[in-house]
Amino acid sequence: MGQFLFLKRSFGIFMVLVGYLTLFSPATAQQIPRRNALRETNSDFFKTEEARRIGDQVLAFQRCTGGWPKNIDMTRQMSDEELTEVLKEKSRQDDSTIDNDATTMQMIYLARLYQQTKDTRYRDVFQLAVEYLLSGQYENGGWPQFWPEMRGYQVHITFNDDAIVNTLELFQDIVAERPPLSGEADRQGTAPTTLGIYR
């Protein structure tokens, strides 16, 4: 009986150690998501070289459509070779989307960066993204998940991952001139279109 309890206790300790080592293994550590700098709100951060580096990479990832693809870490330091490969994808028209916070997240980051730097590249890219969002709106007021090139489910209006909500809130902030989007777009052109989904 004593030997059984000893083995049981030893097995329990072994399992705790295995769990601990698994949790803190290098492979697991790479899977733990770090804070996404594209969601940064501290104005002091946008005065730094790091913020500009990320901003320039965000510019590189923007497609000719005006939108951005999703599920890509655009904040990671890239080599010159990697940046060259990213720029080769600029003409793609099949992966611009509002899914998973894509496009709206990049727009807000660039608006914050422009506020602190007054670098007109960030303002101009923001304007191009506004045109992209307006170009995708359906007559009923909604947006597809991907455009201009779509396939399968991508043509449907989607509410998952707050895709439509994020888009509408961004336009509302532009129209209301709420920071960081005050002065970043032509409100006369955006307001009537944004209201379409509420009709």
Side-chain angles (χ1 to χ4, degrees):
M1 185 70 174
Q3 187 176 10
F4 174 77
L5 289 174
F6 172 78
L7 290 173
K8 185 177 179 181
R9 188 176 295 118
S10 299
F11 180 76
I13 293 171
F14 172 76
M15 292 306 294
V16 169
L17 288 173
V18 168
Y20 180 85
L21 292 172
T22 301
L23 180 62
F24 292 98
S25 69
T28 305
Q30 291 176 1
Q31 296 171 7
I32 297 174
R34 58 187 175 81
R35 191 171 190 281
N36 188 345
L38 292 183
R39 299 185 187 282
E40 184 60 66
T41 59
N42 186 340
S43 59
D44 288 337
F45 169 76
F46 291 95
K47 300 173 184 177
T48 67
E49 287 302 314
E50 175 68 0
R52 278 180 171 272
R53 180 192 67 77
I54 293 171
D56 290 347
Q57 289 190 177
V58 169
L59 297 187
F61 276 102
Q62 189 184 35
R63 304 307 195 215
C64 64
T65 62
W68 280 267
K70 67 177 182 176
N71 300 338
I72 297 175
D73 183 359
M74 301 180 187
T75 67
R76 180 181 63 83
Q77 178 80 55
M78 291 192 297
S79 66
D80 292 340
E81 292 76 15
E82 288 174 315
L83 185 57
T84 298
E85 290 302 311
V86 168
L87 292 172
K88 287 179 181 177
E89 299 281 290
K90 220 162 184 34
S91 61
R92 286 186 64 174
Q93 298 194 41
D94 62 348
D95 65 348
S96 299
T97 182
I98 55 173
D99 191 29
N100 290 6
D101 297 331
T103 299
T104 54
M105 179 170 58
Q106 285 83 3
M107 291 174 71
I108 292 170
Y109 181 89
L110 292 174
R112 293 185 187 280
L113 191 55
Y114 173 69
Q115 278 193 336
Q116 298 303 321
T117 65
K118 301 307 178 187
D119 186 329
T120 56
R121 294 178 304 148
Y122 306 133
R123 180 200 61 198
D124 295 345
V125 161
F126 183 96
Q127 293 280 6
L128 183 60
V130 168
E131 293 172 15
Y132 167 71
L133 292 178
L134 293 175
S135 74
Q137 190 177 34
Y138 289 141
E139 288 185 5
N140 62 14
W143 280 266
Q145 198 170 92
F146 288 76
W147 76 92
E149 292 183 11
M150 300 173 272
R151 61 185 181 278
Y153 71 91
Q154 296 173 350
V155 303
H156 299 298
I157 295 173
T158 176
F159 288 92
N160 71 301
D161 298 323
D162 291 330
I164 299 292
V165 172
N166 290 340
T167 304
L168 285 172
E169 287 182 345
L170 181 134
F171 277 124
Q172 284 181 330
D173 288 347
I174 291 173
V175 171
E177 298 191 56
R178 296 189 192 104
L181 303 178
S182 51
E184 301 307 327
D186 176 9
R187 275 165 290 285
Q188 188 175 3
T190 58
T193 311
T194 306
L195 294 173
I197 199 165
Y198 295 116
R199 292 177 187 150

